[in-house]
Amino acid sequence: MASSKSSLSHPLHSLTIPLFILLQIQTCVSSSQIQKPLLLPLKTQTPSRKLSFQHNVTLTVSLTVGSPPQNVSMVLDTGSELSWLHCKKLPNLNSTFNPLLSSSYTATPCNSSICKTQTRDLILPSSCDPNKLCHVMVSYADASSIEGTLAAETFTIGGEAQQGTLFGCMDAAGYTSDANEDSKTTGLMGMNRGSLSLVTQMALPKFSYCISGKDASGFLLLGGGAAGEPWLGPLKYTPLVTATTSLPYFDRVAYTVQLEGIKVSEKLLQLPKSVFVPDHTGAGQTMVDSGTQFTFLLGSVYSALKVEFLEQTKGMLTRIEDPNFVFEGAMDLCYHAPASLTAVPAVTLVFEGAEMRVSGERLLYRVRKGSDWVYCFTFGNSDLLGIEAYVIGHHHQQNVWMEFDLVNSRVGFTETTCDLASQRLGLSP
């Protein structure tokens, strides 16, 4: 989930369902020499409702760290930079990494070039701890934070050792205030474009993922994209947006694209294009984030979308008139069960060079309201969350092949059946 200036946070919670992650690892010998794809188990976790904007289903990968190897599980997050592990055994943690048991663990001195330069993309600057080690901290929107030592260690993924991987060995009093949440995973795997992310450390030219409609299966392809899959339709690409200068509210290492408009059915919302362009502070960027479940829009755009959707669904959907029920703290448009989801008009996100169509279960999400099931509109108001950004969540990426092309600085996508794509890549149904 996107952190940094947009002030989003990361849940670590649990109800497990098997998934798979397909990793294609580069060797240290040559950047063009790719090892055989590795198949690893991935699990989904459904958190409690502690944070209003959290990702409802987090993806966690199991791997080993250290020498001899210790088993860990990490939340896979394209919206974060620094990978980290809990390194201090606390009563609320079932899984921690113990660096004292590993011969390959190396703490980073605070006077090293790594501490001084490779931490440049972190929101909070690194510092020296009392032992002259590189101290790092990550903070989140609910005022919680975690801190510890920047270190290097061997991360072994599917039997392939990634030596000297930099990560945060965290020894703070806990990741959140909810012990139930912290107990389920060992840490987080950062996958954005920052200098400390796993993507950067592995020098990946691109990676892709595909999430099924029910969050029950999917894959992540590291080092590969759609070009080698003839059965997949052509991808439409939108360029990544970069900032030439440092702006206080612009996350330079996020996967930022240019949103140009929104359509309900085929009607384009009458909004000035300026509302989709970051302002002089950097507020208003559009981030593609697999770590956030739903999609959030700035208040004025959300209001315009809500008005048009209500207008086009008159007589089709029955709205729940309960001002006290706001799903996820930012979604105030919920309905009684519709007769048919197929008749509901689609919402299309218009990007530079590409469009993403959202319909059916991706548009209306079934949730509990007391003893009843209701259906909530899967776009939320980011103003209610204190976020100065547009965030495209993973729910709207279901059954879409997503490709992050770092060499050509672009994001590509095409609709597909992710369950079938997984099988064609050799994953069990």
Side-chain angles (χ1 to χ4, degrees), residues 131-180:
N131 296 318
K132 302 297 183 182
L133 298 177
C134 188
H135 184 80
V136 290
M137 176 185 288
V138 183
S139 63
Y140 299 92
D142 65 346
S144 66
S145 63
I146 188 164
E147 55 190 294
T149 302
L150 185 67
E153 184 56 284
T154 298
F155 279 57
T156 302
I157 304 172
E160 184 73 23
Q162 303 293 315
Q163 298 178 345
T165 300
L166 295 170
F167 75 108
C169 194
M170 303 309 207
D171 56 8
Y175 168 65
T176 69
S177 57
D178 190 325
N180 218 11

Side-chain angles (χ1 to χ4, degrees), residues 302 306 319-320 325-327 330-334 377 379 384:
Y302 172 75
K306 178 180 173 182
R319 186 180 179 185
I320 293 173
F325 184 74
V326 181
F327 178 58
M331 300 175 184
D332 59 358
L333 189 55
C334 297
F377 194 53
F379 289 86
L384 297 179

Side-chain angles (χ1 to χ4, degrees), residues 102-394:
S102 174
S103 62
S104 52
Y105 175 85
T106 305
T108 303
C110 63
N111 62 358
S112 69
S113 60
I114 290 176
C115 187
K116 292 178 179 178
T117 63
Q118 281 197 255
T119 60
R120 63 184 179 274
D121 294 326
L122 297 180
I123 304 309
L124 299 172
S126 60
S127 61
C128 267
D129 71 7
N131 296 318
K132 302 297 183 182
L133 298 177
C134 188
H135 184 80
V136 290
M137 176 185 288
V138 183
S139 63
Y140 299 92
D142 65 346
S144 66
S145 63
I146 188 164
E147 55 190 294
T149 302
L150 185 67
E153 184 56 284
T154 298
F155 279 57
T156 302
I157 304 172
E160 184 73 23
Q162 303 293 315
Q163 298 178 345
T165 300
L166 295 170
F167 75 108
C169 194
M170 303 309 207
D171 56 8
Y175 168 65
T176 69
S177 57
D178 190 325
N180 218 11
E181 298 170 358
D182 279 337
S183 67
K184 308 302 181 183
T185 56
T186 322
L188 180 142
M189 184 180 287
M191 294 288 289
N192 71 9
R193 297 189 296 155
S195 59
L196 285 174
S197 77
L198 195 66
V199 172
T200 301
Q201 291 192 59
M202 293 175 63
L204 296 174
K206 64 177 63 175
F207 67 94
S208 304
Y209 60 72
C210 201
I211 308 166
S212 77
K214 296 294 185 181
D215 286 319
S217 63
F219 63 85
L220 172 72
L221 184 63
L222 295 185
E229 310 303 337
W231 45 265
L232 189 68
L235 271 64
K236 292 188 176 180
Y237 289 95
T238 185
L240 288 171
V241 177
T242 57
T244 55
T245 58
S246 179
L247 301 173
Y249 293 101
F250 191 93
D251 184 351
R252 294 186 303 107
V253 294
Y255 296 105
T256 301
V257 295
Q258 185 58 62
L259 183 63
E260 294 187 335
I262 300 176
K263 295 189 290 188
V264 181
S265 189
E266 291 303 314
K267 183 177 180 181
L268 186 68
L269 298 182
Q270 296 303 301
L271 293 166
K273 291 209 169 185
S274 60
V275 301
F276 299 110
V277 179
D279 64 18
H280 66 284
T281 69
Q285 73 185 112
T286 301
M287 298 180 286
V288 182
D289 185 6
S290 68
T292 300
Q293 183 169 19
F294 299 109
T295 293
F296 297 99
L297 309 172
L298 292 185
S300 60
V301 176
Y302 172 75
S303 296
L305 173 60
K306 178 180 173 182
V307 168
E308 182 59 34
F309 189 78
L310 284 168
E311 177 64 28
Q312 292 197 28
T313 55
K314 279 182 180 178
M316 182 186 304
L317 298 173
T318 304
R319 186 180 179 185
I320 293 173
E321 302 292 347
D322 183 354
N324 296 319
F325 184 74
V326 181
F327 178 58
E328 296 278 297
M331 300 175 184
D332 59 358
L333 189 55
C334 297
Y335 298 93
H336 295 288
S340 171
L341 285 175
T342 58
V344 177
V347 173
T348 301
L349 299 171
V350 181
F351 302 101
E352 179 184 349
E355 295 185 358
M356 180 178 287
R357 187 173 182 272
V358 180
S359 62
E361 293 181 350
R362 289 194 294 160
L363 185 60
L364 294 178
Y365 186 73
R366 193 174 78 147
V367 299
R368 279 283 186 186
K369 181 179 183 294
S371 59
D372 299 324
W373 287 104
V374 299
Y375 288 76
C376 292
F377 194 53
T378 52
F379 289 86
N381 185 346
S382 63
D383 290 3
L384 297 179
L385 308 178
I387 310 170
E388 296 291 334
Y390 300 92
V391 182
I392 312 301
H394 87 90

